[in-house]
Amino acid sequence: MHALDMARTCVSLRDTSCVETYVNTALDQGVDGAAVEADSVLRGYWSSSRAESSRALWSRYLSMRIPALQAELEAMFDADQGIRKAIDWDKADSPDSLVRRSVWAPIEAIDAQHTARVIEIIGESGVPSVHQVGLKGNKMVFFAFIHSMDVKTITDHILALSRSVRKGESPACWYAFVVDRAMVKTTKETMFGTTSYLDKSDGVNYFRAVSSAYVDRLREEVGLPRMNNGKRNAY
């Protein structure tokens, strides 16, 4: 259960201390204070004197924002998702290689641009945290590597992404996707079962988890939902 869900449960129990704890945890994880204020269950807490520490915490995180960089990364994320939502799957799965390329070539070109820009950003100032660029902007940093075509590009930056997660500056769930993308392209197996890899040499879509007996436990540790009968939850 996510921190805001726990905070809502605490509201129903009339446990203000519990609400404060989980709201502050959500803010630590990058949840926007405006989202708490707009929440139909939590807005009463947020507007009360009891939420003074939560509002102060949000004010501190808000002062860390880099608006221009956040806007740039969010625009990249919208482009990343927009072009994928517009995929014509009849063409994408066509037996004609030229038809398939007409779909995937523009996506790969945008992905390459995004990855190059994110690498530049990391080189200049490190991995932007959720407090600097918001959850959506931070997610784009990880998606730039999730959608990278080059395993070396991923592995060259995976330690920087890992450090950001360990410092609490990025959600662990997106790092799990990056790990799986690098693994599945090299071993045809995943750690968290989040992604797949189509091997053009045999036409097989690989996404099997290395430790299938423990994959749900691993997923829960990084904030991912349990597998649905062995099926992946991918982006």
Side-chain angles (χ1 to χ4, degrees):
M1 186 177 290
H2 294 294
L4 283 189
D5 293 326
M6 292 297 297
R8 296 185 191 102
T9 299
C10 294
V11 169
S12 68
L13 297 174
R14 301 181 183 276
D15 187 337
T16 303
S17 177
C18 174
V19 176
E20 178 185 17
T21 295
Y22 282 108
V23 166
N24 288 356
T25 297
L27 295 173
D28 288 339
Q29 294 171 345
V31 170
D32 198 300
V36 181
E37 184 177 17
D39 190 280
S40 60
V41 176
L42 297 173
R43 65 164 66 110
Y45 163 77
W46 188 260
S47 62
S48 72
S49 60
R50 295 166 297 178
E52 184 177 348
S53 70
S54 298
R55 292 193 298 269
L57 182 63
W58 169 236
S59 179
R60 178 164 69 87
Y61 286 145
L62 193 58
S63 70
M64 297 167 64
R65 286 290 169 93
I66 308 174
L69 182 57
Q70 179 176 355
E72 179 184 5
L73 288 167
E74 288 182 347
M76 289 165 61
F77 183 81
D78 289 341
D80 175 283
Q81 295 297 286
I83 196 169
R84 284 174 164 80
K85 289 176 181 177
I87 289 175
D88 182 333
W89 286 103
D90 288 335
K91 291 182 178 180
D93 294 333
S94 170
D96 187 324
S97 62
L98 291 179
V99 174
R100 291 198 304 273
R101 287 304 300 160
S102 71
V103 174
W104 294 110
I107 295 175
E108 291 171 7
I110 287 179
D111 288 345
Q113 292 173 12
H114 288 170
T115 302
R117 175 57 181 142
V118 166
I119 289 173
E120 182 180 29
I121 291 168
I122 292 174
E124 291 171 353
S125 53
V127 176
S129 74
V130 291
H131 304 304
Q132 293 173 318
V133 296
L135 278 168
K136 185 177 177 181
N138 177 263
K139 186 188 295 185
M140 183 60 227
V141 173
F142 286 79
F143 269 41
F145 296 102
I146 292 168
H147 292 155
S148 173
M149 298 294 291
D150 180 38
V151 173
K152 188 175 186 301
T153 297
I154 301 174
T155 57
D156 283 350
H157 296 87
I158 204 163
L159 288 179
L161 299 177
S162 175
R163 283 194 295 270
S164 180
V165 171
R166 291 199 307 271
K167 289 161 63 178
E169 296 178 349
S170 300
C173 57
W174 302 126
Y175 178 69
F177 277 78
V178 176
V179 169
D180 274 359
R181 183 52 57 97
M183 283 185 62
V184 80
K185 284 192 172 185
T186 53
T187 69
K188 297 182 180 178
E189 293 182 312
T190 69
M191 181 66 69
F192 302 94
T194 65
T195 191
S196 65
Y197 168 61
L198 177 62
D199 190 325
K200 295 178 181 178
S201 67
D202 58 18
V204 176
N205 219 358
Y206 293 93
F207 66 86
R208 188 179 76 84
V210 175
S211 182
S212 56
Y214 299 101
V215 66
D216 280 334
R217 185 180 302 174
L218 292 171
R219 290 172 67 91
E220 288 172 354
E221 287 178 357
V222 297
L224 289 170
R226 296 173 68 86
M227 297 284 281
N228 179 19
N229 295 322
K231 297 180 180 179
R232 65 192 175 94
N233 300 94
Y235 286 76

